[in-house]
Amino acid sequence: MLMTKQRPPAIRTLRGWAINVLNEAGAIRECEEHGWMQDRADPHARERAFDIARQDPPADVSPQAAAAAIRDVLDSIGDSCPECAPDEEDRR
């Protein structure tokens, strides 16, 4: 009989799960040049991410803790990449 090891989940932390949910919901995006997360400021996407957190949290995590993880990630990122040069419009 062939035995295989079960792969560990690709996302190992609650923060990693929250980032994945926010990305899938379209609430955040990644700077294509530098890789920094950026808040898209889309209220509908944010609400989708919170709905996912409440309805389908990771194993052994309460819906409240999952929603708190989503909130923590959103609070920790900005809407622009810190390494990208500001646009000419932003300088005015």
Side-chain angles (χ1 to χ4, degrees):
M1 175 188 267
L2 180 64
M3 301 291 277
T4 60
K5 289 184 180 178
Q6 194 171 23
R7 287 186 172 178
I11 300 168
R12 298 177 186 212
T13 65
L14 185 56
R15 179 175 172 79
W17 173 85
I19 290 168
N20 186 55
V21 168
L22 286 163
N23 193 34
E24 292 292 323
I28 62 173
R29 63 185 172 101
E30 185 177 325
C31 170
E32 292 178 9
E33 190 172 337
H34 303 107
W36 288 90
M37 290 183 296
Q38 298 171 296
D39 188 347
R40 292 190 55 239
D42 180 346
H44 300 290
R46 285 178 174 210
E47 192 55 39
R48 280 192 302 272
F50 280 110
D51 287 344
I52 291 168
R54 290 184 201 106
Q55 295 171 5
D56 191 23
D60 300 326
V61 176
S62 71
Q64 296 82 7
I70 297 286
R71 191 174 308 104
D72 289 345
V73 170
L74 285 171
D75 289 345
S76 71
I77 62 175
D79 61 353
S80 62
C81 173
E83 292 185 45
C84 288
D87 293 334
E88 286 297 318
E89 291 179 18
D90 295 341
R91 292 182 188 166
R92 295 179 191 158

